Amino acid sequence: MAILVNRLTTLDEPAQVVSPIDQQDIDCFLSEWKPVLDAKIAELKQAGLYTRQGVADHNVEDAHWEWPAKLHKRAGILQWASYAVRCGGRTQGLMFLDMLPKCRHASQANKHMVYVDLVSTAPWNRPVLAQQPLYRGVGFVLITEAILHSQAEGFDGRIGLHSLPRAEKFYRDQLGMEPLGPDSQHHDLHYFEMTSANADAFLRP
């Protein structure tokens, strides 16, 4: 059982972490996430603000990710794992993990790791996008699951990911991941890795 912080009440609330993502989560995405994201993108286009910086400023950089299609394509394939966080009767976060990429950091180059392919929190949890964001801690819970998944696979907690610009400080400063700079092969997004030592420190009480 995980814990999320309700920003409105300041109270901790129990959250359920499930794997894999199932139809309940996809239904929530389609009925509650997607309309909000689509509406904001339409608003930005109408205002002439639909740019890389514009979507970052409004916290909708991931609005084009098609979770239902990806789940359909990847379901049952050992390369992929998926997770959802549920709280308050709704899906609060979604994540896909890829088992095939290998590490780049000099201290663990070419070792196996878990790559965080996609990770998102619900629109109502996002500063700027939501006037009063609801839950804090969704990303923290999901990245924790990625590290635990890495350990379960025998990869010693090693994970990697390409960060959307708005999330770079979160991965570097709050999670202690190692920044390896922009990746020209991945839209110049900054690449981060969690070393085994970083993972141990992160999970330590």
Side-chain angles (χ1 to χ4, degrees), residues 34-116:
K34 188 171 172 52
V36 176
L37 297 173
D38 287 350
K40 177 55 68 172
I41 292 299
E43 177 186 318
L44 293 177
K45 288 180 176 179
Q46 185 172 8
L49 298 174
Y50 186 61
T51 63
R52 186 170 185 176
Q53 188 60 51
V55 296
D57 288 344
H58 292 83
N59 212 349
V60 288
E61 296 170 291
D62 60 335
H64 61 288
W65 293 351
E66 292 292 342
W67 290 91
K70 289 186 181 294
L71 183 64
H72 177 75
K73 183 177 181 179
R74 297 171 175 180
I77 299 176
L78 293 178
Q79 173 185 354
W80 299 100
S82 63
Y83 285 84
V85 177
R86 300 171 186 161
C87 185
R90 295 190 289 182
T91 299
Q92 304 295 337
L94 295 169
M95 178 174 68
F96 263 110
L97 304 177
D98 185 350
M99 306 307 124
L100 294 188
K102 292 189 178 180
C103 297
R104 305 180 189 182
H105 191 276
S107 68
Q108 55 190 24
N110 294 317
K111 290 185 177 181
H112 290 284
M113 70 169 184
V114 165
Y115 177 77
V116 181

Coordinates of all heavy atoms in Angstrom, one line a residue, residues 34-116:
K34 N -8.2 12.3 -20.6 CA -8.0 12.8 -22.0 C -8.9 14.0 -22.3 O -8.3 14.9 -23.0 CB -8.4 11.6 -22.9 CG -8.1 11.9 -24.4 CD -8.2 10.6 -25.2 CE -8.1 10.9 -26.7 NZ -6.9 11.7 -27.1
P35 N -10.1 14.1 -21.9 CA -10.8 15.4 -22.2 C -10.2 16.6 -21.7 O -10.2 17.7 -22.3 CB -12.2 15.1 -21.5 CG -12.4 13.6 -21.5 CD -11.0 13.1 -21.2
V36 N -9.6 16.5 -20.5 CA -8.9 17.7 -19.9 C -7.6 18.0 -20.7 O -7.4 19.2 -21.1 CB -8.5 17.5 -18.4 CG1 -7.7 18.6 -17.9 CG2 -9.8 17.2 -17.6
L37 N -6.9 17.0 -21.0 CA -5.6 17.2 -21.8 C -6.0 17.7 -23.2 O -5.3 18.7 -23.7 CB -4.8 15.9 -21.9 CG -4.3 15.4 -20.5 CD1 -3.7 14.0 -20.7 CD2 -3.3 16.3 -19.9
D38 N -6.9 17.1 -23.9 CA -7.3 17.6 -25.2 C -7.8 19.0 -25.2 O -7.5 19.8 -26.1 CB -8.4 16.7 -25.8 CG -7.9 15.3 -26.2 OD1 -6.7 15.1 -26.2 OD2 -8.7 14.4 -26.5
A39 N -8.6 19.4 -24.2 CA -9.1 20.7 -24.1 C -8.0 21.8 -24.0 O -8.0 22.8 -24.6 CB -10.1 20.9 -23.0
K40 N -7.0 21.4 -23.1 CA -5.9 22.4 -22.9 C -5.1 22.5 -24.2 O -4.7 23.6 -24.6 CB -5.0 21.9 -21.8 CG -3.8 22.8 -21.5 CD -4.1 24.2 -21.3 CE -4.9 24.5 -20.1 NZ -5.0 26.0 -19.8
I41 N -4.8 21.4 -24.9 CA -4.1 21.5 -26.2 C -4.9 22.3 -27.2 O -4.3 23.1 -27.9 CB -3.8 20.0 -26.7 CG1 -2.9 19.3 -25.8 CG2 -3.3 20.1 -28.2 CD1 -1.5 19.9 -25.7
A42 N -6.2 22.1 -27.3 CA -7.0 22.9 -28.2 C -6.9 24.4 -27.9 O -6.8 25.3 -28.8 CB -8.4 22.4 -28.2
E43 N -6.9 24.7 -26.6 CA -6.8 26.1 -26.1 C -5.5 26.7 -26.5 O -5.4 27.8 -27.0 CB -7.0 26.1 -24.6 CG -6.8 27.5 -24.0 CD -6.9 27.4 -22.4 OE1 -7.7 26.6 -21.9 OE2 -6.1 28.0 -21.8
L44 N -4.4 25.9 -26.3 CA -3.1 26.4 -26.7 C -2.9 26.7 -28.2 O -2.3 27.6 -28.6 CB -2.0 25.4 -26.2 CG -1.8 25.2 -24.7 CD1 -0.8 24.2 -24.4 CD2 -1.5 26.6 -24.0
K45 N -3.5 25.8 -29.0 CA -3.4 25.9 -30.4 C -4.2 27.2 -30.9 O -3.7 28.0 -31.7 CB -4.0 24.7 -31.1 CG -3.1 23.5 -31.0 CD -3.7 22.3 -31.8 CE -2.8 21.1 -31.8 NZ -3.4 19.9 -32.4
Q46 N -5.3 27.4 -30.3 CA -6.2 28.6 -30.6 C -5.4 29.9 -30.2 O -5.5 30.9 -30.9 CB -7.5 28.5 -29.9 CG -8.5 29.6 -30.4 CD -9.9 29.4 -29.8 OE1 -10.1 28.5 -29.0 NE2 -10.8 30.2 -30.2
A47 N -4.7 29.8 -29.2 CA -4.0 31.0 -28.7 C -2.6 31.2 -29.3 O -1.9 32.1 -29.0 CB -3.8 30.9 -27.2
G48 N -2.2 30.2 -30.2 CA -0.9 30.3 -30.8 C 0.2 29.9 -29.9 O 1.4 30.3 -30.1
L49 N -0.1 29.2 -28.9 CA 0.9 28.8 -27.8 C 1.3 27.3 -27.9 O 1.9 26.8 -27.0 CB 0.4 29.1 -26.4 CG 0.1 30.6 -26.2 CD1 -0.6 30.8 -24.8 CD2 1.4 31.4 -26.2
Y50 N 0.9 26.7 -29.0 CA 1.2 25.2 -29.1 C 2.6 25.0 -29.6 O 2.9 24.7 -30.7 CB 0.2 24.5 -30.0 CG 0.3 23.0 -30.0 CD1 0.2 22.3 -28.8 CD2 0.6 22.3 -31.2 CE1 0.3 20.9 -28.9 CE2 0.7 21.0 -31.2 CZ 0.6 20.2 -30.0 OH 0.7 18.9 -30.0
T51 N 3.5 25.2 -28.7 CA 5.0 25.1 -28.9 C 5.5 24.2 -27.9 O 4.8 23.9 -26.9 CB 5.7 26.4 -28.9 OG1 5.6 27.0 -27.5 CG2 5.1 27.4 -29.9
R52 N 6.8 23.7 -28.0 CA 7.4 22.9 -27.0 C 7.4 23.6 -25.7 O 7.1 23.0 -24.6 CB 8.8 22.5 -27.4 CG 9.5 21.5 -26.5 CD 10.8 21.1 -27.1 NE 11.4 20.0 -26.3 CZ 12.5 19.3 -26.6 NH1 13.1 19.6 -27.7 NH2 13.0 18.4 -25.8
Q53 N 7.7 24.9 -25.7 CA 7.7 25.7 -24.4 C 6.3 25.9 -23.9 O 6.1 25.8 -22.7 CB 8.4 27.0 -24.6 CG 8.6 27.8 -23.3 CD 9.5 27.1 -22.4 OE1 10.6 26.6 -22.7 NE2 9.1 26.9 -21.1
G54 N 5.4 26.1 -24.8 CA 4.0 26.3 -24.4 C 3.4 25.1 -23.7 O 2.7 25.3 -22.6
V55 N 3.6 23.9 -24.2 CA 3.0 22.7 -23.5 C 3.8 22.4 -22.2 O 3.2 21.9 -21.3 CB 3.1 21.5 -24.5 CG1 2.2 21.7 -25.7 CG2 4.5 21.1 -24.9
A56 N 5.1 22.8 -22.2 CA 5.8 22.6 -20.9 C 5.3 23.6 -19.9 O 5.0 23.2 -18.7 CB 7.3 22.8 -21.1
D57 N 5.1 24.8 -20.3 CA 4.6 25.9 -19.3 C 3.2 25.5 -18.8 O 2.9 25.9 -17.6 CB 4.5 27.2 -20.0 CG 5.8 27.8 -20.3 OD1 6.8 27.4 -19.7 OD2 5.9 28.8 -21.2
H58 N 2.4 24.8 -19.5 CA 1.0 24.5 -19.1 C 0.9 23.0 -18.6 O -0.2 22.5 -18.4 CB 0.0 24.7 -20.2 CG -0.1 26.2 -20.5 ND1 0.7 26.9 -21.3 CD2 -1.0 27.1 -20.1 CE1 0.4 28.2 -21.4 NE2 -0.7 28.3 -20.6
N59 N 2.1 22.3 -18.5 CA 2.1 21.0 -17.9 C 1.3 20.0 -18.6 O 0.6 19.1 -18.0 CB 1.7 21.1 -16.4 CG 2.4 20.0 -15.5 OD1 3.1 19.2 -16.0 ND2 2.2 20.2 -14.2
V60 N 1.4 20.0 -20.0 CA 0.7 19.0 -20.8 C 1.7 18.4 -21.9 O 1.3 18.1 -23.0 CB -0.5 19.6 -21.5 CG1 -1.6 19.8 -20.5 CG2 -0.2 20.9 -22.2
E61 N 2.9 18.3 -21.5 CA 3.9 17.8 -22.4 C 3.6 16.3 -22.9 O 4.1 15.9 -23.9 CB 5.3 17.8 -21.8 CG 5.8 19.2 -21.5 CD 7.1 19.1 -20.6 OE1 7.0 18.7 -19.4 OE2 8.1 19.5 -21.1
D62 N 2.9 15.6 -22.1 CA 2.6 14.2 -22.4 C 1.2 14.0 -23.0 O 0.7 12.9 -23.1 CB 2.7 13.4 -21.1 CG 1.7 13.8 -20.0 OD1 1.3 15.0 -20.1 OD2 1.4 13.0 -19.2
A63 N 0.5 15.1 -23.4 CA -0.9 15.0 -23.8 C -1.1 14.1 -25.0 O -2.2 13.6 -25.3 CB -1.4 16.4 -24.1
H64 N 0.0 13.9 -25.8 CA -0.1 13.1 -27.0 C 0.1 11.6 -26.8 O -0.1 10.8 -27.7 CB 0.9 13.6 -28.1 CG 2.3 13.4 -27.6 ND1 2.9 14.2 -26.6 CD2 3.3 12.6 -28.0 CE1 4.1 13.9 -26.4 NE2 4.4 12.9 -27.2
W65 N 0.4 11.2 -25.6 CA 0.6 9.8 -25.3 C -0.7 9.0 -25.3 O -1.6 9.3 -24.5 CB 1.3 9.6 -23.9 CG 2.7 10.1 -23.9 CD1 3.5 10.6 -24.9 CD2 3.6 10.3 -22.7 NE1 4.7 11.0 -24.5 CE2 4.8 10.8 -23.1 CE3 3.4 10.0 -21.4 CZ2 5.8 11.1 -22.3 CZ3 4.4 10.3 -20.5 CH2 5.6 10.8 -20.9
E66 N -0.8 8.0 -26.1 CA -2.0 7.2 -26.3 C -1.9 5.9 -25.4 O -1.5 4.9 -25.9 CB -2.2 6.9 -27.7 CG -2.6 8.1 -28.6 CD -3.9 8.7 -28.2 OE1 -4.7 8.1 -27.6 OE2 -4.1 9.9 -28.6
W67 N -2.3 6.1 -24.2 CA -2.2 4.9 -23.2 C -3.0 3.7 -23.7 O -2.5 2.6 -23.6 CB -2.6 5.4 -21.8 CG -1.6 6.3 -21.2 CD1 -1.6 7.7 -21.3 CD2 -0.4 5.9 -20.5 NE1 -0.5 8.2 -20.6 CE2 0.3 7.1 -20.1 CE3 0.2 4.7 -20.1 CZ2 1.4 7.2 -19.3 CZ3 1.3 4.7 -19.3 CH2 1.9 5.9 -18.9
P68 N -4.2 3.9 -24.1 CA -5.0 2.7 -24.5 C -4.3 1.9 -25.7 O -4.2 0.7 -25.6 CB -6.3 3.2 -25.0 CG -6.4 4.5 -24.2 CD -5.1 5.1 -24.2
A69 N -3.8 2.6 -26.7 CA -3.2 1.9 -27.8 C -1.9 1.3 -27.4 O -1.6 0.1 -27.9 CB -2.9 3.0 -28.9
K70 N -1.1 1.9 -26.6 CA 0.1 1.3 -26.1 C -0.1 0.1 -25.3 O 0.6 -0.9 -25.4 CB 1.0 2.3 -25.4 CG 1.5 3.4 -26.3 CD 2.5 4.3 -25.5 CE 3.0 5.4 -26.5 NZ 3.9 4.8 -27.6
L71 N -1.1 0.1 -24.4 CA -1.5 -1.1 -23.6 C -1.9 -2.2 -24.5 O -1.5 -3.4 -24.3 CB -2.6 -0.7 -22.6 CG -2.9 -1.9 -21.6 CD1 -1.8 -2.2 -20.8 CD2 -4.1 -1.5 -20.8
H72 N -2.7 -1.9 -25.5 CA -3.2 -3.0 -26.4 C -2.0 -3.6 -27.1 O -1.9 -4.8 -27.3 CB -4.2 -2.4 -27.4 CG -4.6 -3.4 -28.4 ND1 -5.6 -4.3 -28.1 CD2 -4.3 -3.5 -29.7 CE1 -5.8 -5.1 -29.2 NE2 -5.0 -4.6 -30.2
K73 N -1.0 -2.8 -27.6 CA 0.1 -3.3 -28.4 C 1.1 -4.1 -27.5 O 1.7 -5.0 -28.0 CB 0.8 -2.1 -29.0 CG 2.0 -2.5 -29.9 CD 2.6 -1.3 -30.6 CE 3.7 -1.6 -31.5 NZ 4.3 -0.4 -32.2
R74 N 1.2 -3.7 -26.2 CA 2.3 -4.2 -25.4 C 1.8 -5.3 -24.4 O 2.7 -6.0 -23.8 CB 2.9 -3.1 -24.6 CG 3.6 -2.0 -25.5 CD 4.0 -0.8 -24.7 NE 4.8 0.1 -25.5 CZ 5.3 1.3 -25.0 NH1 5.1 1.6 -23.7 NH2 6.0 2.1 -25.8
A75 N 0.5 -5.5 -24.3 CA 0.0 -6.4 -23.3 C 0.5 -7.9 -23.6 O 0.5 -8.3 -24.7 CB -1.5 -6.4 -23.3
G76 N 1.0 -8.5 -22.5 CA 1.5 -9.9 -22.6 C 2.9 -10.1 -23.2 O 3.3 -11.2 -23.3
I77 N 3.6 -9.0 -23.5 CA 4.9 -9.1 -24.0 C 5.9 -8.9 -22.9 O 5.8 -7.9 -22.1 CB 5.2 -8.0 -25.1 CG1 4.2 -8.2 -26.3 CG2 6.6 -8.0 -25.6 CD1 4.3 -7.1 -27.3
L78 N 6.8 -9.8 -22.7 CA 7.7 -9.8 -21.5 C 8.6 -8.6 -21.4 O 9.0 -8.2 -20.3 CB 8.5 -11.1 -21.5 CG 7.8 -12.4 -21.3 CD1 8.8 -13.6 -21.3 CD2 7.0 -12.4 -20.0
Q79 N 8.8 -8.0 -22.5 CA 9.6 -6.7 -22.5 C 9.0 -5.6 -21.7 O 9.8 -4.8 -21.1 CB 9.8 -6.3 -24.0 CG 10.5 -4.9 -24.1 CD 10.6 -4.4 -25.5 OE1 10.1 -5.1 -26.5 NE2 11.0 -3.2 -25.7
W80 N 7.7 -5.6 -21.6 CA 7.0 -4.5 -21.0 C 6.3 -4.9 -19.7 O 5.8 -6.0 -19.5 CB 5.9 -4.0 -22.0 CG 6.5 -3.5 -23.3 CD1 6.5 -4.2 -24.4 CD2 7.2 -2.3 -23.5 NE1 7.1 -3.4 -25.4 CE2 7.6 -2.2 -24.8 CE3 7.4 -1.2 -22.7 CZ2 8.2 -1.2 -25.4 CZ3 8.1 -0.1 -23.2 CH2 8.5 -0.1 -24.6
A81 N 6.3 -3.9 -18.8 CA 5.5 -4.0 -17.5 C 4.8 -2.6 -17.4 O 5.3 -1.6 -17.8 CB 6.4 -4.2 -16.3
S82 N 3.6 -2.7 -16.8 CA 2.8 -1.4 -16.6 C 2.3 -1.4 -15.2 O 2.0 -2.4 -14.6 CB 1.7 -1.4 -17.6 OG 0.8 -2.4 -17.4
Y83 N 2.1 -0.1 -14.7 CA 1.6 0.1 -13.4 C 0.6 1.2 -13.4 O 0.7 2.2 -14.2 CB 2.8 0.5 -12.4 CG 3.7 -0.6 -12.0 CD1 4.7 -1.1 -12.9 CD2 3.5 -1.3 -10.8 CE1 5.6 -2.1 -12.5 CE2 4.4 -2.3 -10.4 CZ 5.4 -2.7 -11.3 OH 6.2 -3.8 -10.9
A84 N -0.3 1.2 -12.4 CA -1.2 2.2 -12.2 C -1.3 2.5 -10.7 O -1.1 1.6 -9.9 CB -2.6 1.9 -12.7
V85 N -1.5 3.8 -10.3 CA -1.8 4.2 -8.9 C -3.2 4.6 -8.8 O -3.7 5.5 -9.6 CB -0.8 5.3 -8.5 CG1 -1.2 5.7 -7.1 CG2 0.6 4.9 -8.6
R86 N -4.0 4.0 -7.9 CA -5.4 4.4 -7.7 C -5.6 5.0 -6.3 O -5.0 4.4 -5.3 CB -6.3 3.2 -7.9 CG -6.1 2.5 -9.3 CD -6.9 1.2 -9.3 NE -6.7 0.5 -10.6 CZ -6.9 -0.8 -10.8 NH1 -7.4 -1.5 -9.7 NH2 -6.7 -1.3 -11.9
C87 N -6.4 6.0 -6.2 CA -6.7 6.6 -4.9 C -7.9 7.4 -5.1 O -8.2 8.0 -6.2 CB -5.5 7.5 -4.5 SG -5.7 8.2 -2.8
G88 N -8.8 7.5 -4.1 CA -10.0 8.3 -4.2 C -10.9 7.8 -5.3 O -11.7 8.6 -5.8
G89 N -10.9 6.6 -5.6 CA -11.8 6.0 -6.6 C -11.4 6.3 -8.1 O -12.2 6.0 -9.0
R90 N -10.2 6.9 -8.3 CA -9.8 7.2 -9.7 C -8.3 6.8 -9.9 O -7.6 6.6 -8.9 CB -9.9 8.7 -10.0 CG -11.4 9.2 -9.9 CD -11.5 10.6 -10.5 NE -10.9 11.6 -9.5 CZ -10.9 12.9 -9.8 NH1 -11.5 13.4 -10.9 NH2 -10.4 13.7 -8.9
T91 N -7.9 6.6 -11.1 CA -6.6 6.4 -11.5 C -5.8 7.7 -11.4 O -6.1 8.6 -12.2 CB -6.4 5.7 -12.9 OG1 -7.2 4.5 -12.8 CG2 -5.0 5.4 -13.2
Q92 N -4.8 7.7 -10.5 CA -4.0 8.9 -10.3 C -2.7 9.0 -11.1 O -2.1 10.0 -11.2 CB -3.7 9.1 -8.8 CG -4.9 9.1 -7.9 CD -5.8 10.3 -8.2 OE1 -5.4 11.3 -8.7 NE2 -7.1 10.1 -7.8
G93 N -2.2 7.8 -11.5 CA -0.9 7.8 -12.3 C -0.8 6.5 -13.1 O -1.4 5.5 -12.8
L94 N 0.0 6.6 -14.2 CA 0.2 5.5 -15.1 C 1.7 5.4 -15.4 O 2.4 6.4 -15.5 CB -0.6 5.6 -16.3 CG -2.1 5.6 -16.2 CD1 -2.8 6.1 -17.5 CD2 -2.6 4.2 -15.8
M95 N 2.2 4.2 -15.7 CA 3.6 4.0 -16.0 C 3.8 2.8 -16.9 O 3.2 1.7 -16.6 CB 4.5 3.9 -14.7 CG 6.0 3.7 -15.0 SD 6.9 3.8 -13.4 CE 6.4 2.3 -12.6
F96 N 4.7 2.9 -17.8 CA 5.2 1.7 -18.6 C 6.7 1.6 -18.4 O 7.5 2.6 -18.4 CB 5.0 1.9 -20.1 CG 3.8 1.3 -20.6 CD1 2.7 2.0 -21.1 CD2 3.7 -0.1 -20.7 CE1 1.5 1.5 -21.5 CE2 2.5 -0.7 -21.2 CZ 1.5 0.1 -21.6
L97 N 7.2 0.3 -18.2 CA 8.6 0.0 -18.0 C 9.0 -0.9 -19.1 O 8.3 -1.8 -19.6 CB 8.8 -0.7 -16.7 CG 8.3 0.0 -15.4 CD1 8.5 -0.8 -14.2 CD2 9.0 1.4 -15.3
D98 N 10.3 -0.7 -19.6 CA 10.9 -1.5 -20.7 C 12.1 -2.2 -20.1 O 13.0 -1.6 -19.5 CB 11.3 -0.6 -21.8 CG 11.8 -1.3 -23.0 OD1 12.1 -2.5 -23.0 OD2 12.0 -0.6 -24.0
M99 N 12.2 -3.6 -20.3 CA 13.2 -4.4 -19.7 C 14.5 -4.5 -20.6 O 15.5 -5.1 -20.2 CB 12.7 -5.8 -19.4 CG 11.5 -5.9 -18.6 SD 11.6 -5.0 -17.0 CE 10.2 -4.0 -17.2
L100 N 14.4 -4.0 -21.8 CA 15.5 -4.3 -22.8 C 16.7 -3.3 -22.8 O 17.8 -3.7 -23.0 CB 14.9 -4.4 -24.2 CG 14.0 -5.5 -24.4 CD1 13.7 -5.6 -25.9 CD2 14.6 -6.9 -24.0
P101 N 16.5 -2.0 -22.6 CA 17.6 -1.0 -22.7 C 18.7 -1.4 -21.6 O 18.4 -2.0 -20.6 CB 17.0 0.3 -22.4 CG 15.6 0.2 -22.9 CD 15.2 -1.2 -22.5
K102 N 19.9 -0.9 -21.9 CA 21.0 -1.1 -20.9 C 21.6 0.2 -20.5 O 21.4 1.2 -21.1 CB 22.1 -2.0 -21.5 CG 21.6 -3.4 -21.8 CD 22.8 -4.4 -22.2 CE 22.3 -5.8 -22.3 NZ 23.4 -6.7 -22.8
C103 N 22.3 0.2 -19.4 CA 22.8 1.4 -18.7 C 23.8 2.1 -19.6 O 24.6 1.5 -20.3 CB 23.4 1.1 -17.4 SG 22.2 0.4 -16.2
R104 N 23.9 3.4 -19.4 CA 24.9 4.3 -20.0 C 25.9 4.9 -19.1 O 27.0 5.2 -19.4 CB 24.2 5.4 -20.8 CG 23.2 5.0 -21.8 CD 22.6 6.2 -22.5 NE 21.4 5.8 -23.3 CZ 20.7 6.7 -24.0 NH1 21.1 8.0 -24.0 NH2 19.7 6.3 -24.7
H105 N 25.5 5.1 -17.8 CA 26.4 5.7 -16.8 C 27.7 4.9 -16.7 O 27.7 3.7 -16.7 CB 25.7 5.7 -15.5 CG 26.3 6.6 -14.4 ND1 27.3 6.1 -13.7 CD2 26.1 7.9 -14.1 CE1 27.7 7.1 -12.8 NE2 27.0 8.1 -13.1
A106 N 28.8 5.6 -16.6 CA 30.1 5.0 -16.6 C 30.3 3.9 -15.5 O 30.9 2.9 -15.8 CB 31.2 6.0 -16.4
S107 N 29.6 4.1 -14.4 CA 29.8 3.1 -13.3 C 29.0 1.8 -13.5 O 29.3 0.9 -12.8 CB 29.3 3.8 -12.0 OG 27.9 4.0 -12.0
Q108 N 28.1 1.8 -14.5 CA 27.3 0.6 -14.7 C 27.0 0.4 -16.2 O 26.0 -0.3 -16.5 CB 26.0 0.8 -13.9 CG 25.2 2.0 -14.2 CD 24.0 2.2 -13.3 OE1 24.1 1.8 -12.1 NE2 23.0 2.9 -13.7
A109 N 27.9 0.9 -17.1 CA 27.6 0.8 -18.5 C 27.4 -0.6 -19.0 O 28.1 -1.5 -18.6 CB 28.8 1.4 -19.2
N110 N 26.3 -0.7 -19.8 CA 26.0 -2.0 -20.4 C 25.4 -3.0 -19.5 O 25.1 -4.1 -19.9 CB 27.1 -2.6 -21.2 CG 27.5 -1.7 -22.4 OD1 26.7 -1.2 -23.1 ND2 28.8 -1.6 -22.6
K111 N 25.2 -2.6 -18.2 CA 24.4 -3.6 -17.3 C 22.9 -3.4 -17.6 O 22.4 -2.4 -18.1 CB 24.8 -3.2 -15.9 CG 26.2 -3.5 -15.4 CD 26.4 -3.3 -14.0 CE 27.8 -3.7 -13.5 NZ 28.0 -3.5 -12.1
H112 N 22.2 -4.5 -17.2 CA 20.8 -4.4 -17.4 C 20.1 -3.4 -16.4 O 20.6 -3.2 -15.3 CB 20.2 -5.8 -17.2 CG 20.5 -6.8 -18.2 ND1 19.9 -6.8 -19.5 CD2 21.4 -7.8 -18.2 CE1 20.4 -7.8 -20.2 NE2 21.3 -8.4 -19.5
M113 N 19.0 -2.9 -16.9 CA 18.3 -1.9 -16.0 C 16.8 -2.0 -16.5 O 16.5 -2.6 -17.4 CB 18.8 -0.5 -16.2 CG 18.5 0.1 -17.6 SD 18.9 1.9 -17.6 CE 18.3 2.3 -19.3
V114 N 16.0 -1.3 -15.7 CA 14.6 -1.0 -16.1 C 14.5 0.4 -16.6 O 14.9 1.4 -16.0 CB 13.7 -1.2 -14.9 CG1 12.3 -0.6 -15.2 CG2 13.5 -2.7 -14.6
Y115 N 14.0 0.6 -17.8 CA 13.8 1.9 -18.5 C 12.4 2.3 -18.3 O 11.4 1.6 -18.6 CB 14.2 1.8 -19.9 CG 14.0 3.1 -20.7 CD1 14.9 4.2 -20.5 CD2 12.9 3.3 -21.5 CE1 14.7 5.4 -21.2 CE2 12.7 4.5 -22.2 CZ 13.6 5.5 -22.0 OH 13.4 6.7 -22.7
V116 N 12.2 3.5 -17.7 CA 10.9 4.1 -17.5 C 10.5 4.8 -18.8 O 10.9 5.9 -19.2 CB 10.9 5.1 -16.4 CG1 9.5 5.7 -16.2 CG2 11.4 4.5 -15.1

